[in-house]
Amino acid sequence: MAESDGAVGDHTQPTEEILKALNAIKNEPQQQQLPPPTEYEALTAELKKQPHNPDGWRRIIDLAESSGDIEKVRASFDALLQQYPNTDPSTFGEAEDLFKKFLIKSPQVDLWKFYLTYVRRVNTGPATRDAVRKSYEFALGHVGQDKDSGEIWRDYIQFLRSGDANTTWEEQQKMDALRKVYHRAVQIPLEGVETLWQELEAFENGLNRITAKKFMADLSPSHMQARTTFRQLTNHVTSLYPPPVSAPINRPELLLPALPTFTASERTLVGRWKAYLKWEESNPLELEEKDKSVLLGRIQSVYRKAVIRMRYYTEIWFMAYTWTHSVGKHEEALNILKAGMEANPASFLLTFAYAEALETKKEFAEVHTQFDRLLSVLRVKLDELETRLAAEEAQKEAQNVNNPDIQAVVEQGVQPQPQQSNGSSGSDENKSRKSSELSERRTEYGLVWIMYMRFGRRAEGIKASRAIFSKARKDRWTPWEVWEAAALMEYHCSEDKAVGGRIFEKGMEFYADEIEFVLRYLGFLISVNDETNARALFERVIGTFPAERARSLWERWARYEYQYGDLDAAQKLEKRIGEVYPSDPPIKRFAQRHTYLGTDAIAAQDLGFAMARKSAQSLGRSDTLQLSNPPATSSGSAPANPSTNAITNIKRPASPDYRKRDERGGGGDYSQSHKRARGNSPPPRNDRDRDRREPPPPPRRRFSPPPQSTWERDRERAPLPPSREEDKPRPVTVPGVISWFVGQLPAPASFD
């Protein structure tokens, strides 16, 4: 027994192999911890994740140059040029490779200057002067019309002057070459064009005073036009570029565009660029038809500058594409769209324009590729937005859990502090805003599917459109608008209302809680005269929505019953509506029953709103005339009679052509409701206005239900002004500055 116990004790001790392994581990040197990343390494990793950071790119270039490491400088600039391919790379070596890659497409004058400097350093012998001359002509052919190219023109003139001439013929050739360059330069709006004109005048007078007068007289109109254009050009360009960012002395500034936020200043900048581009297109130099190539080259160079500076503003890209296509350069126009989509992969404008251009060329496979690409990009953005909103909501809930007042409610049943109610309301509003943002992005995503289906139907037939819709059905981000578009496409293009109805009915499985989708489905059934299914749909869904959301459904079905149903059905429906909305006055429904296309005779004649409008209009004009020049007292500080400075609270009436405002969609049952005349602003309320004012309706979306009728809006917003005999409300004193402002307003009839 003792032996067995000893054996057990031995097995519990570590073996010799285990001890050796432990000793080896102890004797191993401790692994050193990795040093923290440098600023350059951290910034490189950050820019890989968030490449749209101009300040970060400027900083990483500064760090690379300050390190003195050539490989690091090369890697930094390569990464920069991959993100901003049109940035001037004239600040570092390996010139020839960079010239081959960037020079031809670049409108940057500084890059061309660097190229000419490089050419002159390489070609130093007398035998290579012709190569240098061709390089100057090559550069001026690309950027010679730029206002900043004056230095290149002067260098070229100096280069020609420095040439040797051993014979009279060579001297004559030299003078002719100089004259041609001078004549070209003084007709261009360049920096320092006046100095070039003075040099040309001295040059011509030095050769022959008689011929000099003739040459100068012939060039004078073009030169004066160039000087005038230069002043206008300077006014345009001055406001297009922001103040330069501080940069090292040995390196020019890096103009790196940032992603747009569409602030007021950015919208102003876009407007200035558009005005400048249109001005250039208007041919301010008044070039003749024989110089059309010069004009096109000048405008093309300007557009290249615009898309570099405004890289992330798709409107500028589209303007460049439109102009290039209009002058017959179709392939180059397509290349502009491609470059724009590389810079703005989520652009609806550029993708749709490119898809239409490819469709015109019958390149249908590429159109499918572009739509799939755009959908993929937008799908990723929707996923990111959903994740971000969920994270913000989780953070908000965590803050609420840590709130001491909420903890008191949970643990002790203590009521929270009163100010928390406002916070809760703000939280609800914030949640609604976030939900609205996601809904808007989803609707825009659905628009791409709809455009994709349209393309499929146009190019390849209805079967292709069905195949695209089949893919859209499997996408969780597809909104209800795609289902409606597919149903209407089947109805209008295949003339098969049964297929459209089945698509709507299938969509009800996913969007039965979307009031707008239900309204569109109901409108579709009414438009195809399917009363049975329309009535069944209405009865099926009306009880699933609360009263505040269901009003549009009641209104839509009531309008159908009023127009095409019998009187008993209309009265029964009015009774049901009255039970749901007891605050609605009976006369409101009665008046709606007798309204058509905005003509509400009951409100206008029986209730007197037409006379109220005329009275308000005449009263508003007379009071405006009186208040625009109020009589002053002897001290000049206040009017003598306060009654002359008082008006009732009546705004200007609606436009006189309100009856012509028919419905945008055509006025049928399926379309939206017709627009009604806008009521006047209410005067002081009196005893006759006993109906409670309803809260304002939410903003209408596309295909939303009809607005309130004329009578209802006038009843709630513009009752009859009280008569002077019965009710005499006290006048409201209006400050003098308000009276002056009202007097400056134009007559109501001048508004649309």
Side-chain angles (χ1 to χ4, degrees):
M1 192 71 181
E3 292 178 358
S4 62
D5 293 340
V8 173
D10 292 340
H11 284 298
T12 59
Q13 300 299 320
T15 63
E16 184 176 355
E17 294 179 357
I18 297 176
L19 292 175
K20 288 181 179 180
L22 291 174
N23 291 331
I25 294 174
K26 292 179 181 179
N27 295 331
E28 286 182 358
Q30 296 292 329
Q31 186 177 5
Q32 296 182 356
Q33 294 183 353
L34 295 176
T38 62
E39 182 182 1
Y40 178 84
E41 295 171 344
L43 197 54
T44 301
E46 180 183 348
L47 289 174
K48 288 182 179 179
K49 297 179 180 178
Q50 299 291 338
H52 299 289
N53 184 0
D55 294 334
W57 285 109
R58 295 188 186 98
R59 179 58 181 163
I60 201 172
I61 294 298
D62 292 342
L63 292 174
E65 290 185 340
S66 61
S67 68
D69 188 345
I70 299 300
E71 293 299 327
K72 186 179 291 187
V73 173
R74 181 183 293 109
S76 300
F77 272 104
D78 286 342
L80 172 67
L81 291 171
Q82 186 176 1
Q83 178 64 25
Y84 301 98
N86 291 297
T87 304
D88 180 6
S90 61
T91 58
F92 51 99
E94 298 185 355
E96 289 191 9
D97 293 338
L98 294 171
F99 289 148
K100 293 177 182 178
K101 189 175 182 181
F102 297 103
L103 185 65
I104 298 297
K105 298 180 180 179
S106 176
Q108 302 294 334
V109 175
D110 290 337
L111 180 59
W112 286 93
K113 290 179 182 177
F114 190 82
Y115 160 73
L116 292 172
T117 302
Y118 171 79
V119 170
R120 296 191 66 172
R121 287 182 180 179
V122 173
N123 302 278
T124 55
T128 59
R129 286 185 61 83
D130 189 60
V132 177
R133 182 189 64 79
K134 291 180 179 179
S135 298
Y136 272 108
E137 290 291 343
F138 179 65
L140 292 174
H142 284 80
V143 296
Q145 292 290 323
D146 195 293
K147 77 177 187 66
D148 298 325
S149 64
E151 185 177 346
I152 297 180
W153 284 99
R154 287 188 288 271
D155 288 346
Y156 187 25
I157 292 172
Q158 186 62 34
F159 169 76
L160 294 177
R161 284 181 182 275
S162 63
D164 295 332
N166 299 324
T167 64
T168 305
W169 183 83
E170 291 179 353
E171 183 69 22
Q172 185 64 36
Q173 292 294 320
K174 176 181 175 181
M175 294 300 104
D176 289 342
L178 276 171
R179 177 180 289 114
K180 289 180 180 179
V181 175
Y182 266 125
H183 286 198
R184 289 161 57 192
V186 296
Q187 299 180 71
I188 301 173
L190 301 172
E191 188 82 39
V193 68
E194 296 91 345
T195 304
L196 288 173
W197 178 261
Q198 294 171 3
E199 293 178 4
L200 172 61
E201 190 172 15
F203 170 76
E204 293 290 357
N205 286 327
L207 295 177
N208 190 323
R209 289 183 176 274
I210 298 176
T211 58
K213 291 182 179 180
K214 178 180 181 302
F215 284 137
M216 302 306 288
D218 292 341
L219 289 173
S220 181
S222 299
H223 172 68
M224 295 306 297
Q225 184 67 30
R227 293 175 60 173
T228 303
T229 303
F230 177 75
R231 288 192 291 270
Q232 298 173 355
L233 177 62
T234 303
N235 293 335
H236 277 287
V237 174
T238 301
S239 60
L240 297 182
Y241 294 93
V245 180
S246 59
I249 299 176
N250 61 345
R251 174 169 60 78
E253 57 175 315
L254 293 175
L255 294 176
L256 304 180
L259 288 176
T261 56
F262 297 103
T263 59
S265 60
E266 290 184 358
R267 292 196 300 270
T268 302
L269 180 62
V270 173
R272 289 171 178 169
W273 270 104
K274 291 167 62 178
Y276 170 52
L277 294 171
K278 289 297 182 183
W279 177 77
E280 286 284 2
E281 290 183 18
S282 67
N283 189 14
L285 285 173
E286 300 180 0
L287 298 175
E288 299 178 358
E289 185 65 25
K290 63 184 180 65
D291 299 322
K292 185 177 180 180
S293 60
V294 176
L295 175 63
L296 296 182
R298 179 181 180 85
I299 300 174
Q300 186 177 33
S301 176
V302 170
Y303 269 113
R304 285 180 178 176
K305 279 190 173 184
V307 297
I308 292 173
R309 180 66 189 91
M310 309 294 285
R311 178 173 175 79
Y312 301 114
Y313 293 86
T314 57
E315 185 178 6
I316 303 299
W317 286 96
F318 186 76
M319 287 183 65
Y321 159 74
T322 303
W323 177 83
T324 307
H325 188 271
S326 67
V327 296
K329 300 181 178 182
H330 305 302
E331 290 299 324
E332 189 171 344
L334 285 179
N335 292 333
I336 290 175
L337 287 179
K338 288 181 182 178
M341 289 189 297
E342 289 177 3
N344 305 274
S347 170
F348 296 90
L349 173 62
L350 300 182
T351 303
F352 291 161
Y354 188 55
E356 285 192 358
L358 293 176
E359 183 181 352
T360 303
K361 297 177 64 179
K362 308 298 182 183
E363 298 180 10
F364 300 145
E366 182 63 20
V367 178
H368 284 282
T369 301
Q370 292 302 321
F371 273 113
D372 290 336
R373 179 198 60 79
L374 180 59
L375 287 168
S376 299
V377 172
L378 296 179
R379 197 177 298 119
V380 171
K381 287 183 173 291
L382 281 171
D383 292 336
E384 293 175 351
L385 178 60
E386 183 184 39
T387 303
R388 178 173 62 83
L389 295 180
E392 292 177 358
E393 185 63 26
Q395 183 180 5
K396 187 69 176 179
E397 292 179 358
Q399 293 176 354
N400 292 337
V401 170
N402 297 328
N403 192 308
D405 293 328
I406 296 179
Q407 289 182 354
V409 173
V410 175
E411 298 174 0
Q412 304 175 7
V414 180
Q415 293 294 328
Q417 296 297 328
Q419 61 266 23
Q420 292 298 324
S421 61
N422 294 333
S424 176
S425 176
S427 176
D428 293 339
E429 293 179 0
N430 191 32
K431 185 184 297 184
S432 175
R433 179 186 59 80
K434 293 177 180 178
S435 176
S436 175
E437 180 183 4
L438 185 62
S439 177
E440 289 176 1
R441 300 291 85 77
R442 186 180 180 186
T443 303
E444 294 167 356
Y445 177 76
L447 178 66
V448 181
W449 278 115
I450 295 172
M451 297 302 108
Y452 194 6
M453 290 190 300
R454 287 185 185 177
F455 154 73
R457 179 194 59 78
R458 290 194 306 261
E460 302 170 348
I462 193 66
K463 290 184 178 180
S465 176
R466 291 171 181 170
I468 296 170
F469 174 61
S470 179
K471 292 194 297 183
R473 289 175 53 185
K474 302 173 184 177
D475 192 338
R476 74 184 186 96
W477 289 114
T478 299
W480 64 264
E481 287 89 349
V482 177
W483 290 75
E484 185 212 10
L488 296 181
M489 191 176 296
E490 290 288 348
Y491 172 65
H492 289 285
C493 299
S494 301
E495 299 182 0
D496 191 348
K497 65 179 182 181
V499 176
R502 287 197 296 270
I503 293 176
F504 268 117
E505 191 61 34
K506 186 65 177 179
M508 286 292 294
E509 298 178 6
F510 306 98
Y511 310 106
D513 58 339
E514 293 279 357
I515 187 71
E516 294 179 357
F517 180 72
V518 177
L519 280 169
R520 298 301 293 176
Y521 185 15
L522 181 62
F524 170 77
L525 293 175
I526 292 175
S527 68
V528 299
N529 202 25
D530 191 352
E531 180 184 0
T532 302
N533 286 325
R535 188 178 300 277
L537 174 66
F538 173 76
E539 297 296 343
R540 181 175 47 157
V541 301
I542 193 60
T544 62
F545 294 100
E548 59 272 11
R549 294 187 63 197
R551 180 180 285 274
S552 56
L553 271 174
W554 287 107
E555 295 282 353
R556 183 67 186 88
W557 187 246
R559 192 166 73 253
Y560 174 74
E561 288 284 14
Y562 295 159
Q563 291 180 344
Y564 308 113
D566 54 38
L567 182 59
D568 291 340
Q571 291 176 343
K572 290 179 181 178
L573 182 62
E574 284 186 4
K575 182 179 180 182
R576 292 176 61 186
I577 296 176
E579 293 174 355
V580 178
Y581 305 102
S583 61
D584 287 357
I587 194 174
K588 166 189 167 182
R589 292 293 167 192
F590 185 85
Q592 282 186 338
R593 235 193 303 154
H594 299 82
T595 301
Y596 186 72
L597 293 182
T599 302
D600 192 347
I602 294 178
Q605 300 300 325
D606 293 86
L607 302 182
F609 289 125
M611 297 299 296
R613 292 190 189 96
K614 295 179 180 179
S615 176
Q617 183 175 2
S618 60
L619 182 60
R621 287 182 176 178
S622 61
D623 288 340
T624 300
L625 292 175
Q626 293 177 9
L627 293 173
S628 59
N629 297 298
T633 60
S634 58
S635 61
S637 60
N641 187 2
S643 62
T644 62
N645 197 23
I647 61 172
T648 55
N649 187 17
I650 299 179
K651 293 185 179 179
R652 285 171 292 158
S655 302
D657 59 344
Y658 68 95
R659 289 174 182 258
K660 298 180 182 178
R661 296 179 179 177
D662 52 358
E663 182 178 335
R664 306 288 189 203
D669 286 327
Y670 181 55
S671 58
Q672 304 176 28
S673 170
H674 48 270
K675 286 195 173 183
R676 315 300 177 112
R678 178 180 295 178
N680 301 322
S681 300
R685 303 179 69 85
N686 52 34
D687 294 339
R688 284 178 288 179
D689 187 16
R690 293 186 293 270
D691 297 323
R692 296 178 59 186
R693 186 187 294 261
E694 295 182 0
R700 296 182 63 196
R701 294 184 57 191
R702 186 166 63 97
F703 309 132
S704 60
Q708 293 176 327
S709 67
T710 305
W711 181 88
E712 179 182 357
R713 196 152 49 224
D714 287 342
R715 177 71 174 173
E716 296 176 354
R717 298 176 58 188
L720 283 170
S723 62
R724 300 181 183 273
E725 293 79 8
E726 299 176 358
D727 302 317
K728 296 183 179 180
R730 291 178 297 174
V732 179
T733 302
V734 178
V737 64
I738 301 298
S739 303
W740 172 85
F741 174 77
V742 173
Q744 302 302 312
L745 294 176
S750 63
F751 289 90
D752 183 3

